[in-house]
């Protein structure tokens, strides 16, 4: 079978993020892009980590393996789920049998109770774990309206049963007993962040329409703590996001355009393109200036969560005349 309980990699010195946050940071690439053709390939978790990219099946299997390791010795269970989501079509998620049941989107780091009406997962076709496969034979396959009792054979058709047991028909596991995580130097994250900043500044300089070059204010002291807090919030390590009083001071004297962005790192070019696609760098006044910071959080070899905060600041020249 394709599931094997796996521990998470040891992170850099910091609190351990939720496994869903870590798995969703691995870049998402469809099979037809990764393998140059009309192929449907399911990689093992070790291959997924080595390739450092994959689609929904790889993300779901790795997340489920982490959950299975975490739940070892408890009554909780985790399953890979195959179904249909809006708007992307066929997909793989993870279902955990918590108190009310939870659905995990491993590619985007989101979770929903099975009763959620806003969950983008619309249909459930089957679920499986390391012991069995269950096909959903209910007339209503919507997650919030169907039964999740896998023991009910009127709702779920198991592949293995007392008449066709796993013990008498063993399946050879394809997953390695453990994943070998290559070591990685922490300075890789610093180098990625530096390259992204330099490339954004260079692209802004090229597109700047005025005679004098654009000015970049040094605001790392303000922007960097915001990005670090957002990463901790995304990983479930903080309950709420605090407002930046230092940044709010600039709002009294400037019009500010821009916002933080987060993405999984594939390459520098794709990050820069996404940032500049927001058109924050397009200024109508030579008095406009910019501020930029980048924070890169490493999680395993080749897996980085990238945060950018790029803003355009224009002095507020409005005057009130009595």
């Amino acid at each position: 079978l394709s599931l094997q309980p796996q521990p998470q990699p040891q992170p850099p010195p910091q609190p351990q993020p939720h496994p869903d946050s870590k798995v969703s940071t691995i870049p998402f690439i469809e099979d037809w892009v990764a393998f140059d053709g009309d192929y449907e390939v399911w990689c093992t978790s070790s291959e997924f980590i080595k390739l450092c990219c994959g689609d929904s099946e790889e993300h779901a299997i790795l997340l489920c393996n982490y959950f299975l390791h975490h739940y070892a010795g408890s009554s909780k269970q985790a399953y890979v789920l195959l179904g249909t989501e809006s708007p992307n079509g066929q997909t793989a998620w993870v279902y955990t049998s918590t108190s009310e049941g939870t659905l995990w989107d491993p590619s985007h780091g989101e979770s929903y109770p099975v009763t959620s009406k806003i969950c983008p997962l619309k249909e459930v076709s089957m679920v499986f774990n390391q012991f069995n496969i269950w096909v959903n034979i209910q007339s209503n396959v919507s997650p919030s309206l169907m039964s999740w009792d896998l023991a009910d054979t009127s709702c779920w058709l198991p592949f293995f049963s007392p008449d066709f047991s796993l013990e008498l028909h063993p399946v050879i596991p394809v997953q390695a007993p453990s994943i070998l995580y290559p070591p990685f130097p922490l300075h890789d994250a610093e180098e990625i962040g530096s390259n992204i900043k330099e490339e954004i500044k260079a692209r802004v300089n090229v597109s700047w329409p005025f005679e004098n070059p654009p000015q970049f204010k040094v605001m790392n002291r303000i922007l960097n703590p915001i990005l670090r807090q957002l990463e901790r919030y995304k990983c479930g390590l903080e309950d709420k996001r605090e407002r930046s009083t230092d940044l709010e001071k600039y709002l009294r004297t400037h019009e500010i355009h821009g916002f933080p962005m987060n993405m999984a790192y594939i390459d520098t070019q794709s990050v820069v393109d996404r940032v500049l696609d927001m058109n924050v760098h397009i200024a109508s006044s030579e008095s406009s200036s910019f501020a930029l910071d980048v924070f890169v959080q490493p999680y395993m070899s080749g897996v980085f969560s990238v945060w950018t905060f790029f803003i355009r600041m224009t002095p507020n020249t409005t005057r009130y005349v009595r």
Side-chain angles (χ1 to χ4, degrees):
L1 293 176
S2 59
L3 293 178
Q4 169 71 37
Q6 300 281 4
Q8 296 185 65
Q10 292 301 311
Q14 60 172 351
Q16 181 83 304
H18 193 280
D20 195 32
S21 299
K22 184 176 295 184
V23 172
S24 65
T25 304
I26 303 176
F28 183 99
I29 297 181
E30 296 281 7
D31 286 341
W32 66 271
V33 176
F35 298 101
D36 191 25
D38 188 19
Y39 299 103
E40 178 65 29
V41 180
W42 286 35
C43 295
T44 66
S45 291
S46 293
E47 293 167 339
F48 181 35
I49 295 299
K50 185 176 181 180
L51 288 172
C52 215
C53 64
D55 60 9
S56 62
E57 291 90 0
E58 281 80 21
H59 284 81
I61 288 172
L62 180 61
L63 178 60
C64 191
N65 285 337
Y66 285 161
F67 277 132
L68 289 173
H69 179 269
H70 182 68
Y71 292 160
S74 74
S75 60
K76 296 180 181 179
Q77 254 294 350
Y79 307 83
V80 172
L81 175 160
L82 302 182
T84 304
E85 69 176 5
S86 177
N88 300 316
Q90 293 183 346
T91 188
W93 283 38
V94 173
Y95 165 66
T96 54
S97 57
T98 52
S99 56
E100 64 171 348
T102 304
L103 300 169
W104 303 86
D105 179 353
S107 303
H108 299 95
E110 303 288 344
S111 64
Y112 307 84
V114 294
T115 55
S116 172
K117 302 297 183 182
I118 62 171
C119 177
L121 184 69
K122 301 304 179 185
E123 297 180 350
V124 178
S125 302
M126 68 172 64
V127 300
F128 64 88
N129 62 8
Q130 70 272 44
F131 303 119
N132 211 337
I133 304 169
W134 293 264
V135 176
N136 189 0
I137 57 175
Q138 299 170 71
S139 58
N140 195 326
V141 293
S142 173
S144 63
L145 300 175
M146 55 183 254
S147 168
W148 287 92
D149 182 5
L150 299 180
D152 185 350
T153 55
S154 67
C155 295
W156 295 92
L157 180 65
F159 183 80
F160 293 109
S161 65
D163 296 329
F164 189 81
S165 67
L166 177 61
E167 290 75 16
L168 296 179
H169 302 83
V171 178
I172 300 175
V174 296
Q175 296 282 3
S178 61
I179 299 174
L180 296 178
Y181 296 95
F184 62 95
L186 293 178
H187 65 73
D188 281 1
E190 299 173 358
E191 182 178 350
I192 289 172
S194 177
N195 290 341
I196 292 172
K197 282 196 284 189
E198 292 304 316
E199 182 63 21
I200 290 175
K201 289 180 179 180
R203 295 270 294 272
V204 171
N205 277 319
V206 169
S207 63
W208 185 251
F210 305 104
E211 182 177 354
N212 295 320
Q215 299 299 310
F216 280 83
K217 295 183 179 292
V218 179
M219 294 179 60
N220 304 57
R221 180 184 62 84
I222 297 174
L223 301 183
N224 194 264
I226 296 174
L227 298 181
R228 289 176 180 271
Q229 186 188 50
L230 286 171
E231 175 67 17
R232 290 178 59 84
Y233 178 81
K234 185 191 81 168
C235 293
L237 302 175
E238 291 194 7
D239 295 331
K240 61 179 181 179
R241 291 170 287 184
E242 300 291 341
R243 297 172 63 179
S244 172
T245 56
D246 290 329
L247 186 59
E248 288 180 346
K249 292 177 182 178
Y250 280 91
L251 290 171
R252 302 171 188 170
T253 56
H254 292 76
E255 291 182 3
I256 297 181
H257 301 269
F259 43 85
M261 295 180 63
N262 178 234
M263 63 203 83
Y265 180 77
I266 299 177
D267 54 43
T268 297
Q269 190 65 43
S270 61
V271 175
V272 173
D273 287 344
R274 279 194 61 185
V275 172
L276 297 185
D277 280 347
M278 300 299 103
N279 292 330
V280 173
H281 64 294
I282 298 178
S284 58
S285 170
E286 191 174 8
S287 63
S288 294
S289 59
F290 301 96
L292 169 67
D293 199 28
V294 178
F295 171 61
V296 180
Q297 175 63 60
Y299 283 117
M300 59 186 87
S301 180
V303 177
F304 304 90
S305 174
V306 176
W307 285 91
T308 64
F309 204 159
F310 182 41
I311 58 177
R312 182 179 74 246
M313 308 171 62
T314 305
N316 189 346
T317 57
T318 303
R319 296 290 184 269
Y320 295 94
V321 180
R322 299 181 67 178

